[in-house]
Amino acid sequence: PGTAKSQMLKYAEKTAPRAVYSTGKGASAVGLTASVHKDPITKEWTLEGGALVLADRGVCLIDEFDKMNEQDRTSIHEAMEQQSISISKAGIVTSLQARCSVIAAANPIGGRYDSSCTFSENVELTDPILQRFDLLCVLQDTVDPVADERLANFVTKSHMRSVATSEYMRGIVQLPKEENQNAITGSGYLKAKIIPQELLRKYIQYARTNVKPVLRGNTFDQEKIASLYVALRKESATSGGVPIAVRHIESIMRLSEAHAKMHLREYVRDDDMDASISMMLNSFVTAQKFSVRRQLKRSFAKYISSGEDRAHLLLHILQEMMIMSKC
């Protein structure tokens, strides 16, 4: 708790072209999949789609995922695996499309994550539902004086800049001018240039509509993925944690295609596959006990390539050449 999980989900809801937001306590099996109602006028049975159906070709956001009942949680197994929902109620037999991404947030047991236990031991979620997520991210509220000071300054300034929504809509007040984003913060860090949310929304929509990257055998190392899968299966059997299945290979493929689509490329390159492998390994390692994380990082170090961008390396080489020329 206190790591801004709900704020991240709300930001994703406003950024995604199509998004449906729901909470664990307020969501049921029929609310997520589909329900059958009797029309009061025609006296006929009608089918109404739930959150996963309404979020088709979009994003479904579920907050407080651990507060859902186990029976309601198992209803989304088919949607996350087959991207469809089968209905057989009141004489209606059909299948609805649920081609959506699912982002869920959950709290650990007791409200505090125990690093001496695995991820599955910290949350009240079964292995079948955990396997269906491509990535598992552990957010811990660690004590960091620099980060805490930056967060406190951000919250204070956001309250100082806040105005009444009704007055702003009527034009009575105006939003205060934002500070220069390239200025130096109080902690001595250079502020990163933030992409406007509207521009990010248009970029995502353009990439999803016009860019369809393809997988080619000569653009990435297929043997690397096979050997990684064998190593992950072996380590998951010995160290515990989330079991590795064949669907994790599909997760690597989806992540690599998404990485290529984010860069507006027509095909998946080797660095896209390396980025997806790095995300998968980080997800697998952080879900383990703290005592075995360092050993796992050493054993999987050969699969993780350098995450340094080529532009940064080129800039470093040019800076060294400039220094040598001045000498």
Side-chain angles (χ1 to χ4, degrees):
T3 54
K5 299 186 299 296
S6 300
Q7 291 294 326
M8 185 194 70
L9 294 180
K10 283 293 184 181
Y11 184 83
E13 180 190 11
K14 296 183 181 298
T15 305
R18 176 184 292 182
V20 178
Y21 183 88
S22 62
T23 57
K25 273 295 183 183
S28 60
V30 296
L32 289 174
T33 56
S35 60
V36 177
H37 297 279
K38 194 170 186 178
D39 192 274
I41 300 176
T42 62
K43 304 300 181 180
E44 294 181 353
W45 292 99
T46 59
L47 189 64
E48 294 185 2
L52 294 171
V53 179
L54 296 176
D56 186 33
R57 294 189 177 274
V59 182
C60 182
L61 309 164
I62 305 175
D63 199 4
E64 304 294 340
F65 193 58
D66 57 310
K67 303 298 188 299
M68 291 181 61
N69 296 328
E70 186 61 31
Q71 295 179 352
D72 298 336
R73 200 183 295 130
T74 54
S75 64
I76 67 174
H77 282 195
E78 181 190 0
M80 296 185 66
E81 178 68 24
Q82 305 295 336
Q83 298 284 282
S84 63
I85 295 174
S86 301
I87 301 296
S88 179
K89 297 179 181 179
I92 301 175
V93 180
T94 183
S95 179
L96 302 176
Q97 298 289 346
R99 298 161 295 182
C100 63
S101 302
V102 178
I103 304 178
N107 287 319
I109 301 174
R112 181 65 62 179
Y113 190 86
D114 188 4
S115 299
S116 61
C117 301
T118 60
F119 184 88
S120 57
E121 295 173 351
N122 274 281
V123 294
E124 293 179 334
L125 300 174
T126 58
D127 288 341
I129 193 67
L130 291 177
Q131 285 184 3
R132 282 167 167 78
F133 286 97
D134 292 341
L135 297 175
L136 300 175
C137 302
V138 179
L139 301 177
Q140 292 183 264
D141 187 13
T142 56
V143 178
D144 187 358
V146 177
D148 294 341
E149 179 186 358
R150 187 165 64 247
L151 180 60
N153 291 333
F154 172 78
V155 174
T156 304
K157 291 179 181 179
S158 64
H159 279 273
M160 292 171 59
R161 295 182 65 253
S162 63
V163 295
T165 306
S166 59
E167 296 180 357
Y168 173 72
M169 296 300 293
R170 288 183 292 174
I172 300 176
V173 295
Q174 298 292 331
L175 289 176
K177 294 183 178 179
E178 296 184 1
E179 298 178 359
N180 185 15
Q181 295 182 350
N182 295 325
I184 303 295
T185 62
S187 303
Y189 288 97
L190 181 65
K191 282 188 176 180
K193 189 174 181 180
I194 301 175
I195 302 175
Q197 189 174 15
E198 189 63 27
L199 177 61
L200 180 61
R201 184 187 180 95
K202 293 179 180 179
Y203 185 88
I204 294 174
Q205 181 63 33
Y206 176 83
R208 295 189 61 174
T209 306
N210 300 297
V211 183
K212 306 294 181 183
V214 295
L215 287 166
R216 298 176 181 174
N218 57 352
T219 57
F220 63 93
D221 191 359
Q222 301 180 36
E223 295 181 358
K224 183 178 181 180
I225 299 176
S227 60
L228 172 66
Y229 176 66
V230 173
L232 283 174
R233 291 271 294 178
K234 181 180 178 181
E235 291 294 340
S236 65
T238 56
S239 61
V242 180
I244 300 297
V246 181
R247 56 173 61 100
H248 287 89
I249 301 179
E250 300 176 351
S251 300
I252 294 177
M253 299 300 176
R254 282 194 295 267
L255 291 172
S256 61
E257 290 178 357
H259 192 270
K261 188 178 294 185
M262 186 175 63
H263 289 81
L264 305 180
R265 285 195 284 265
E266 297 181 355
Y267 58 91
V268 178
R269 298 194 316 194
D270 204 10
D271 53 347
D272 299 325
M273 197 63 66
D274 291 338
S276 64
I277 290 174
S278 178
M279 287 185 285
M280 178 62 66
L281 287 177
N282 286 329
S283 172
F284 176 75
V285 171
T286 53
Q288 304 297 325
K289 298 179 182 179
F290 182 78
S291 57
V292 299
R293 288 181 189 173
R294 185 174 298 178
Q295 177 185 355
L296 291 176
K297 287 181 180 179
R298 286 198 301 264
S299 60
F300 288 112
K302 59 182 179 180
Y303 297 102
I304 301 177
S305 60
S306 177
E308 205 56 45
D309 192 9
R310 292 185 177 89
H312 291 284
L313 296 175
L314 183 60
L315 180 62
H316 179 69
I317 294 173
L318 291 175
Q319 288 177 349
E320 287 187 346
M321 293 175 63
M322 291 292 294
I323 294 173
M324 292 177 62
S325 62
K326 290 181 180 179
C327 295

